[in-house]
Amino acid sequence: MTHKSALAGQYADVTDKELRDFQSGQRQSAVMQAIIAGRSDQDLHDLAVYYASLPLPAAAEKTRAGEGPDATATRLVMQGDPQRNIAPCAACHGQLDRKGAAPWLGGQSAAYLAAQLQAFASGARRNDINEQMRNVARQMTPEEIDAVARYDAAMQ
Ligand code: HEC
């Protein structure tokens, strides 16, 4: 199940938007689209509120014993990289501030997070309003994507 996103504790506006995006095909997933085809907006909203009411899952992955968080990942998450026009992830994703209905990333598996970043970078995923995530992910190296994915997966 490592490629699934965890919905428990997720902000309701995030799940609401993602469910609608799956339903409309804005975000591609044959599985999700089939499951929620024909559900009303109210059903999707109720589902999102229900998931938001559940406790956040524990961190999906642990940092290895004796290892602190990766320095590259910590810098990108907390400070971004102004030279490459990367805003701090934490300024949108909730640790410092929350903008643009960005999801809470803790509790997701590193494999899922890395796959989403790669999909934004390649444009395979393009349901982010104003290309907020595509603009970030396109600037990241594969090593940075892996490091940040592991950092976020180790966060609750
Ligand atoms: C300007 C605000 C902003 C910044 C900065 C930002 N994000 Fe995002 N991110 C978003 C938004 C909004 C979404 C949701 C897009 C959608 O699906 O509508 C998102 C989605 C994601 C997702 C997909 C999550 C999922 O459950 O599918 C990942 C992973 C992610 N961001 C990681 C990052 C990382 C890592 C950084 C820093 C290197 C970062 N983001 C910086 C706004 C931002």
Side-chain angles (χ1 to χ4, degrees), residues 4-5 7 15 18-25 27-39 44 47 51 112:
K4 290 244 166 75
S5 97
L7 296 175
T15 305
E18 297 307 318
L19 290 174
R20 284 160 202 260
D21 285 354
F22 282 129
Q23 196 177 50
S24 69
R27 188 174 169 191
Q28 305 279 323
S29 164
V31 176
M32 282 305 299
Q33 204 166 9
I35 291 172
I36 58 182
R39 301 281 169 157
L44 299 187
L47 266 174
Y51 279 116
Y112 173 81

Side-chain angles (χ1 to χ4, degrees), residues 20-105:
R20 284 160 202 260
D21 285 354
F22 282 129
Q23 196 177 50
S24 69
Q26 276 281 105
R27 188 174 169 191
Q28 305 279 323
S29 164
V31 176
M32 282 305 299
Q33 204 166 9
I35 291 172
I36 58 182
R39 301 281 169 157
S40 68
D41 281 358
Q42 187 63 49
D43 284 350
L44 299 187
H45 179 73
D46 290 348
L47 266 174
V49 170
Y50 167 73
Y51 279 116
S53 74
L54 301 177
L56 271 171
E61 275 145 62
K62 293 195 171 66
T63 28
R64 276 180 221 114
E67 251 180 40
D70 180 81
T72 305
T74 308
R75 189 173 42 78
L76 273 178
V77 170
M78 301 310 280
Q79 289 156 33
D81 183 357
Q83 299 217 316
R84 283 183 290 166
N85 224 3
I86 303 180
C89 320
C92 288
H93 281 278
Q95 303 102 301
L96 294 173
D97 197 358
R98 188 164 179 249
K99 294 203 198 85
W104 182 252
L105 299 173

Side-chain angles (χ1 to χ4, degrees), residues 5-6 10 14 17-18 21 27 76-77 80 86-93 99-105 108 112-114 116-117 120 125 127-129 132-133 136-137 140 144-145 148-149 152:
S5 97
Q10 183 56 267
V14 169
K17 175 179 183 295
E18 297 307 318
D21 285 354
R27 188 174 169 191
L76 273 178
V77 170
I86 303 180
C89 320
C92 288
H93 281 278
K99 294 203 198 85
W104 182 252
L105 299 173
Q108 309 286 1
Y112 173 81
L113 294 169
Q116 299 313 308
L117 289 166
F120 281 128
R125 178 170 168 182
N127 68 325
D128 53 326
I129 293 166
Q132 292 181 99
M133 271 317 298
V136 170
M140 296 172 75
E144 287 172 336
I145 286 182
V148 169
D152 284 328

